[in-house]
Amino acid sequence: MSGKKKVIVFTTGGTIAMKYDPKVNGLVPAVSGEDLAAVVPGLDKVADVEVREFSNIASPGMIPEMMFQLSKMINEALESDDVAGAVVTHGTDTVEETSYMLDLLHQSEKPVVLTAAMRGAGDTSPDGPANIYCAVKTAASEEARGKGVMVLLNETIHAAGQVRKTHSANPATFASPWWGPIGYCDVDRVVFRREPLNRQTFAPESLTARVDIVPAQTGIGRDYIDYAVAKGCKGIIVEGFGRGNIPPMMVEGIKDATDKGVVVVITTRTHGGRPYQVYAYPGSVTDSRNKGAIRGGETSAAKARLKLMVILSEKPELAGNREELEKLMDV
């Protein structure tokens, strides 16, 4: 019997599983999960790896319902005593969203590590194999236990709640603005230098609440807020400027939305800091909160959307409890 730990690798697709197709002059899904694992030198020495193919899509095609189903599969797999952790291979475009959704739903002390690649599997210098190797090594490590869901590329480990894609093409694209990574994968071991704080977990039976994002834009009015309400949204994330301030013309739309029971959350488009009511002019966070909006904390608009979706799906009654909901969102 092997003394190595077992790691389940769930493959979803993305650049890490793509090759160049001259017929369409671009990268397309072409590599299976088994193929991915087979090209990683030394992977069999790190852990007993079992590959399960969840999907093989480009990451812009990932949707919250798929993230939810993937979470259920991972949590079920981690219940087995012989499984040390899980790895998810994913596309880079939406890996920060999927990792955050999985973290919100993570029910185990066992680690989940998402990894990806900025170069295709058929490129001259693909980064996928090294990223997979380090992700499996991290998922199998005792040091990773209790740290929730993480994202690992370029040997660097990030907390799901803080990681952002910061460059459209450079392999060093992933960063955790202001706070930095939580650790790294070295030659001999996995090293952590801090804990991912303020993690929250929820357990909805299904995703039932639609939540949309409306970004603030100079000169914009209330039209997109009204549209979201008309489409039946239970929540709207408003991505504000700076401290969360927005064009004054949006505010009455917020008031009408909250009067109808729609939850409106103010976030900021900046990579650090949180929205707060330090100003009192029309369109300030003071103004929008007086009209019924709540603060969204340091979470990006994309992640705040997923969190609100999860919360309102599990506890729809919180839509009427602004104070309690703000405590959950502004962490």
Side-chain angles (χ1 to χ4, degrees):
M1 180 169 177
S2 171
K4 292 176 294 185
K5 295 181 179 179
K6 184 174 182 179
V7 172
I8 310 295
V9 176
F10 295 88
T11 61
T12 69
T15 301
I16 197 170
M18 293 187 183
K19 287 186 177 179
Y20 179 79
D21 185 346
K23 295 178 182 178
V24 296
N25 192 30
L27 295 171
V28 296
V31 181
S32 71
E34 294 287 352
D35 291 337
L36 278 177
V39 298
V40 181
L43 189 64
D44 60 334
K45 296 180 174 62
V46 175
D48 286 326
V49 174
E50 178 183 329
V51 180
R52 301 181 186 180
E53 187 165 300
F54 175 78
S55 64
N56 195 357
I57 60 172
S59 64
M62 184 62 69
I63 61 175
E65 287 75 13
M66 292 176 68
M67 301 175 194
F68 187 82
Q69 291 304 317
L70 178 58
S71 172
K72 290 174 66 175
M73 291 177 62
I74 293 172
N75 283 327
E76 182 178 342
L78 294 182
E79 289 178 358
S80 297
D81 292 338
D82 64 334
V83 175
V87 166
V88 178
T89 61
H90 200 283
T92 61
D93 283 349
T94 60
V95 69
E96 61 192 86
E97 282 99 324
T98 297
S99 65
Y100 187 62
M101 173 70 94
L102 296 180
D103 198 44
L104 290 172
L105 303 171
H106 191 51
Q107 304 297 326
S108 174
E109 284 292 300
K110 297 178 182 179
V112 176
V113 184
L114 278 79
T115 193
M118 291 297 288
R119 301 189 184 108
D123 285 4
T124 302
S125 181
D127 50 336
N131 288 339
I132 293 172
Y133 179 89
C134 288
V136 170
K137 185 174 179 177
T138 300
S141 71
E142 284 295 324
E143 293 83 357
R145 286 183 63 88
K147 292 180 174 60
V149 179
M150 294 157 278
V151 173
L152 187 154
L153 286 90
N154 291 342
E155 302 175 355
T156 308
I157 306 168
H158 299 272
Q162 297 164 350
V163 68
R164 302 282 288 268
K165 186 175 183 179
T166 65
H167 194 280
S168 64
N170 195 291
T173 178
F174 285 95
S176 296
W178 285 93
W179 309 120
I182 62 173
Y184 61 98
C185 181
D186 211 343
V187 176
D188 60 334
R189 63 190 177 97
V190 178
V191 180
F192 285 96
R193 293 304 184 201
R194 68 181 182 91
E195 297 285 335
L197 302 178
N198 299 322
R199 289 185 57 239
Q200 298 166 289
T201 57
F202 305 92
E205 293 184 3
S206 61
L207 290 182
T208 57
R210 172 174 170 170
V211 178
D212 282 3
I213 299 173
V214 176
Q217 307 163 58
T218 54
I220 196 175
R222 58 181 291 171
D223 296 7
Y224 294 111
I225 295 174
D226 292 343
Y227 177 80
V229 173
K231 295 301 289 185
C233 282
K234 301 300 182 183
I236 299 171
I237 307 298
V238 175
E239 186 183 49
F241 311 124
R243 268 299 208 174
N245 309 306
I246 60 176
M249 298 81 77
M250 297 180 74
V251 176
E252 287 306 311
I254 289 175
K255 181 181 186 306
D256 287 348
T258 57
D259 284 348
K260 293 175 181 177
V262 177
V263 176
V264 177
V265 178
I266 304 295
T267 63
T268 172
R269 70 180 185 181
T270 63
H271 283 186
R274 53 194 274 267
Y276 199 74
Q277 57 272 20
V278 295
Y279 302 100
Y281 53 73
S284 65
V285 175
T286 299
D287 191 19
S288 60
R289 286 184 85 246
N290 286 340
K291 299 300 192 297
I294 64 174
R295 297 186 304 263
E298 291 186 337
T299 310
S300 69
K303 292 179 182 178
R305 170 180 174 254
L306 296 175
K307 182 198 281 191
L308 186 60
M309 189 182 299
V310 167
I311 292 172
L312 293 181
S313 294
E314 181 179 8
K315 300 177 180 179
E317 68 277 5
L318 285 181
N321 190 335
R322 176 182 158 190
E323 183 177 351
E324 187 62 29
L325 197 52
E326 188 170 68
K327 288 180 182 178
L328 291 172
M329 296 298 298
D330 185 15
V331 296

